[in-house]
Every structure is written in structure tokens, then in C-alpha cells.
Amino acid sequence: MSKELMDALDLLEREKNISRDSLFDAIENSLLTACKNNFGKADNIKVEVDREKCEFKCYATKTVVETEEDVMDPAIEISLDDAKKIKKKVEVDDEIDVPVNSKEFGRIATQNAKNVILQKIREEERGAIYNEYYSKEHDIVTGVVQRYIGKNISINLGKSDAILNENEQVKTERYKPTDRIKVYILEVKNGSKGPRILVSRTHPDLVKRLFEQEVAEIQDGTVEIRSIAREAGSRTKIAVYSNNPNVDAVGACVGVNGSRVNLIVDELRGEKIDVINWDDNPGNLIQNALSPAKIVAVFADPDEKSAKVVVPDYQLSLAIGKEGQNARLAARLTGYKIDIKSETQAKDAPGFRMEDYMDDSYDEEEYDEEYEDNTELDESAEVSEDEE
């Protein structure tokens, strides 16, 4: 019995991640439950478990009385003659531990004991799964699409299922059963039927964690992700900073011939990703954030968290982006409210002075030459009437 029990406990500990101590506690409780069902009470019952040898013994503490006729309750009393069969030196009114043969328990008592052990195993298994996924909260895991539950999707994560709610799904993505996808764990709740895991495909940190997985320089701390702005399914801007002057942060994230960033784009099913350099100077940061548009000048007000940006006339639509997306993501990335004007619009604005916006690096002839040579404008870029 001890060998079989030891093998069973080892199997449960290995496959279900349930500790042996918890299982031994369950066995002790089950024996107490069986005694209560068999004798009607368990107040005087003691259970001893040798956790090394996987052996257990059960005792009932009984008071010694003179004769069989004096035994009023066999569950708590024993005659002197019967007590001496267990222990020779015993007297009336002494207390003695009488071994209980669990094999003599009735069917109901045995079944109840079994249920106690099974219930404990289920509770421990749910607890182990909860702890495992709770430790992964705000991280990414790989799951397999199972089925649709209304407009929500059930994702199998291996040991548990997660729910991908409709508002956490990317509108342009279509999922089929057996699809393998990476999801970001938003929250893990402990419920009566096991952990409830909520995941997302739209959260900005999904992109952040993907970069952390793919880029070794981020893993070792050489490169930091300072900010990220995302419109799921369409475009993401991510600002990175290198702690080593010999390491190019953007180059490390993009990889040779775009190998690293392309893996992430594939995982996000074609979502565009702009990787830019972080700069502590807000003007430079805003200029980088509005990439790929060329900037004439930036005037940033750190106190008001606002900035005015001047771009060449032919770059206005590119700077703003289709339906304002480029400017909107740049604003989220930098934390600044950005007002973009073309050179013509800026010059016509009341009280505008070009020298307030320009820095020494601006070369009007250089921009004029670039304007003449530019033949690859973003045809899809649009400017709303309000923004113009």
C-alpha cells in the first residue's frame, strides 16, 4: 500500500504540480471524515502519517471503564479487560489510544473519504494553475484558438483556457480553430471553477513583449523601450533608447534586413511598426516621432506639454498621415499635443515668426532641392479639413 501510495503522490506532484504536503493533509482529513461517518464523531480521533514511508495509522482516544456493562458509548469508552489487551499497565479512568482499522469502515464512510481527497486534489490543481498564470499576468503566452463563444473566443493556453473578449480582438484579424496566436494576459481571477484568464491582442504591451522576446539587446538591458503607441491592426510607433553608445537601438530592434521586426509584423498579421530613437530633448523626440515626414522646425513647451511643428508644404499630408494617424500616434508616443502646420500655413498665421521655429540646422535650399527631387509621396495620406 505504501509503495502504491508513494507512486500515486509522485505522479500527482509531477503532472498536476500539487505538493506532497497538501496531499498528505488531504489524506489526514479524509480519514477524520471517514471516522466521523463511521462512529458518528471524530473529536477523539488522531491520525498519524509517516510522510517518508507513506504509511498512516488512525487512533481513537478512549477512557477506560471497569466492565463491559459500564461502557455507555463505545466510540469514547473501553472496558478495562479490552484496554489491557492493548496496553498491560492501564487502570480505570486512564485514556488509551485504540487503533482504528480503516478497512472496516462502511461503504458510505469510504466514499466520503475518497470525495474529500478528490476535492482537495481539485482545489490544489486549480490553485497551482492560478498561481502559474497569475505569475504571467502582463506577459505574453502562446495559445490555440478553440471556439467562438458568442463574439468572444476561447483560447487554450495548455493547462487552462482563456477568454479573448470582442473588445480585445483586432478588428482586421480573423481567427480559426487550431490557429496558434500569441496573446497578452490582462488579468487572472480566481473563481470557484478555476482561474478566469482574460487576454488581449490589442494591448500596446503585446508589441512591447514581442520585442523583448526577439531582441537580445532588450533582454540584457542594453536597449530600453521608453514609449509605445499603438492602433491595433494598423500601425505602432515604438521609441527605443540605447544605454551603450556603440549600439544602435533602432538597428538592434529592426535586425539585419529587418529580420527581427519582420517576425513581429508577421505575428501581428501585417501591422506596420515604426521604430524610432528616443531623445530626452522633446523637440528632437517629436521630430523622430513624426517620421517618416521631414520637419522644418519644432517648438515644444514642456510645461504645457504642447508643441508646434512646421513641415514643408509637400510633407504636410505625410506628417499628419491617413486620417490623422501619424500625428495621433506621435502625440501618444511623446505625450505632447502636437499642432502641425505647413510652411505656408505657418507664415500666414498671426504673429508667426519663422525664426522662432527654426534652428541653425535648417537649410531652406536643402528642403527646396528635396522637394524637387521627391517622387515617392505617400499617395494614401489624407488631411482632414479641421487639420488643414
Side-chain angles (χ1 to χ4, degrees):
M1 176 63 185
S2 60
K3 179 65 167 62
E4 293 175 358
L5 180 60
M6 188 178 297
D7 291 342
L9 294 179
D10 288 341
L11 184 65
L12 285 169
E13 186 174 33
R14 184 169 60 254
E15 293 189 354
K16 301 292 187 180
N17 197 25
I18 302 174
S19 70
R20 291 167 65 91
D21 288 339
S22 297
L23 293 169
F24 279 121
D25 290 342
I27 293 171
E28 291 179 11
N29 290 332
S30 70
L31 288 171
L32 289 173
T33 300
C35 289
K36 186 173 183 180
N37 280 279
N38 193 66
F39 302 120
K41 61 179 68 177
D43 297 341
N44 63 325
I45 301 297
K46 293 191 300 185
V47 177
E48 293 181 359
V49 179
D50 187 328
R51 302 194 176 193
E52 295 297 326
K53 297 180 180 179
C54 285
E55 296 177 348
F56 61 90
K57 296 178 181 179
C58 193
Y59 299 96
T61 302
K62 297 184 179 183
T63 302
V64 179
V65 295
E66 185 72 35
T67 64
E68 285 285 348
E69 289 76 13
D70 295 325
V71 176
M72 305 301 293
D73 186 349
I76 59 173
E77 294 176 336
I78 186 173
S79 67
L80 181 61
D81 289 340
D82 289 339
K84 286 185 176 182
K85 294 176 183 178
I86 301 169
K87 184 179 180 180
K88 291 183 179 180
K89 294 182 178 180
V90 65
E91 297 179 357
V92 175
D93 294 332
D94 286 350
E95 288 188 342
I96 185 173
D97 289 336
V98 180
V100 175
N101 187 358
S102 59
K103 293 181 180 180
E104 296 177 357
F105 289 166
R107 181 181 61 82
I108 295 176
T110 304
Q111 185 62 40
N112 288 340
K114 177 183 176 182
N115 290 339
V116 169
I117 294 177
L118 292 176
Q119 178 64 24
K120 182 66 174 179
I121 290 174
R122 283 192 291 268
E123 289 176 1
E124 289 295 320
E125 185 177 6
R126 285 197 295 264
I129 293 172
Y130 170 80
N131 290 334
E132 178 179 345
Y133 287 103
Y134 182 76
S135 67
K136 296 178 181 178
E137 203 172 57
H138 308 311
D139 204 348
I140 59 173
V141 293
T142 300
V144 178
V145 175
Q146 285 190 306
R147 64 188 182 280
Y148 277 82
I149 306 173
K151 293 185 178 181
N152 301 331
I153 301 174
S154 175
I155 309 290
N156 181 263
L157 302 181
K159 295 183 180 179
S160 185
D161 292 341
I163 297 297
L164 181 62
N165 288 324
E166 181 186 10
N167 60 348
E168 297 297 338
Q169 299 170 26
V170 178
K171 291 181 173 56
T172 57
E173 293 182 350
R174 296 293 176 267
Y175 314 100
K176 303 188 300 294
T178 72
D179 281 355
R180 292 181 65 84
I181 59 173
K182 290 186 178 180
V183 292
Y184 178 79
I185 297 181
L186 288 173
E187 185 179 20
V188 181
K189 299 179 180 178
N190 203 359
S192 58
K193 295 183 179 180
R196 178 176 171 81
I197 306 170
L198 302 178
V199 296
S200 173
R201 282 282 291 180
T202 62
H203 201 284
D205 281 351
L206 172 64
V207 182
K208 182 178 180 180
R209 298 296 185 216
L210 288 171
F211 270 98
E212 289 173 350
Q213 282 189 350
E214 295 295 338
V215 181
E217 290 81 357
I218 294 178
Q219 294 173 13
D220 64 23
T222 304
V223 174
E224 296 178 21
I225 297 175
R226 290 290 181 88
S227 183
I228 187 167
R230 185 185 184 202
E231 292 190 356
S234 180
R235 196 179 204 99
T236 290
K237 284 182 180 285
I238 182 168
V240 294
Y241 177 81
S242 176
N243 292 309
N244 185 338
N246 297 321
V247 176
D248 175 18
V250 173
C253 292
V254 172
V256 179
N257 296 324
S259 58
R260 288 174 170 175
V261 74
N262 285 339
L263 286 173
I264 298 170
V265 169
D266 290 343
E267 175 59 41
L268 298 176
R269 304 193 177 190
E271 182 175 316
K272 296 177 182 178
I273 299 177
D274 297 338
V275 184
I276 69 159
N277 280 308
W278 173 271
D279 199 303
D280 291 328
N281 182 305
N284 293 338
L285 177 61
I286 291 167
Q287 181 170 322
N288 294 343
L290 287 170
S291 173
K294 302 296 183 182
I295 308 299
V296 173
V298 178
F299 178 77
D301 186 341
D303 295 330
E304 296 292 331
K305 283 290 181 179
S306 64
K308 295 179 180 180
V309 177
V310 180
V311 300
D313 289 358
Y314 72 91
Q315 292 276 293
L316 180 60
S317 60
L318 186 60
I320 294 174
K322 186 177 181 179
E323 298 178 352
Q325 185 185 67
N326 195 55
R328 190 165 55 247
L329 287 174
R332 291 181 194 167
L333 189 73
T334 61
Y336 276 71
K337 181 179 179 181
I338 302 174
D339 179 20
I340 303 175
K341 293 186 185 307
S342 68
E343 289 180 277
T344 300
Q345 290 172 335
K347 288 175 182 177
D348 292 341
F352 173 81
R353 294 191 310 161
M354 191 65 176
E355 55 268 25
D356 291 338
Y357 290 84
M358 292 170 52
D359 56 31
D360 295 336
S361 64
Y362 175 69
D363 186 335
E364 187 171 354
E365 290 184 2
E366 178 185 335
Y367 278 97
D368 288 343
E369 290 175 4
E370 186 173 351
Y371 175 77
E372 292 173 1
D373 295 338
N374 185 73
T375 58
E376 297 181 356
L377 296 181
D378 186 352
E379 297 292 342
S380 65
E382 298 176 359
V383 186
S384 67
E385 293 181 1
D386 292 338
E387 286 167 326
E388 287 186 333

